[in-house]
Amino acid sequence: MPSRKKPSSRTRVLVGGAALAVVGAGAVGTVAANAAGSADATPAAAPVAARGGELTQSRHLSVDAAAKAARAALEAAEKDGRQVSVAVVDRNGNTVVTLRGDGAGPQSYESAERKAYTAVSWNAPTSKLAERLAQAPNLKDIPGTLFLAGGTPVTAQGAPVAGIGVAGAPSGDLDERYAQAGAAALGR
């Protein structure tokens, strides 16, 4: 048997590096081939643009306008010595601003949001909606609503754009008066 000479360390490094390059190239090629179009790969969907006739537009109060309305409602209540919470929701019923007045009860925060949501959903003051419960008692079962006086809608060009809810005063009539003060501040 002939004796074999041990390769030099330089030769071993070169051969090892070449082997790694071949393995790496094969892995990259396999990944690229799979990404580019294997038979079972789902092609990426191209963005589709909706046409103008398929779209609607809606209006929403700005954050500044919502804060102005909430502040006006809270100030009207404070002027009467009442501790209330005020919520302003957008056209979709999402809360934009909520202010909890000093000393307002813990239940008033959620109640104000639910009154605002109810007012914008039906585009009517919640005091009027509460009267409808006599004819349709199941209305109260609709999630997120509260059929007590204290919510008022805000409209623009006849369509609802927001709802203002107030809770915490001794009566719903007072809550609603403060909510209306908030809505009136938007016209100034």
Side-chain angles (χ1 to χ4, degrees), residues 56-175:
T56 63
Q57 289 185 334
S58 62
R59 296 177 182 267
H60 298 267
L61 282 183
S62 68
V63 171
D64 290 340
K68 177 181 177 180
R71 174 58 59 197
L74 187 62
E75 288 173 356
E78 288 172 343
K79 183 178 172 187
D80 286 351
R82 307 294 180 196
Q83 294 85 27
V84 300
S85 289
V86 180
V88 180
V89 300
D90 68 13
R91 172 61 189 113
N92 299 323
N94 298 311
T95 303
V96 179
V97 174
T98 306
L99 298 177
R100 185 171 174 201
D102 295 336
Q107 79 290 354
S108 65
Y109 189 89
E110 182 180 347
S111 296
E113 286 182 329
R114 290 175 60 194
K115 288 178 183 183
Y117 176 85
T118 305
V120 75
S121 295
W122 275 273
N123 195 24
T126 53
S127 59
K128 300 296 180 205
L129 296 170
E131 294 170 6
R132 293 185 193 173
L133 285 179
Q135 291 81 32
N138 290 344
L139 281 177
K140 70 181 178 343
D141 298 332
I142 297 172
T145 59
L146 186 59
F147 291 90
L148 297 174
T152 192
V154 177
T155 60
Q157 299 174 345
V161 295
I164 302 173
V166 176
S171 73
D173 293 341
L174 288 173
D175 286 339

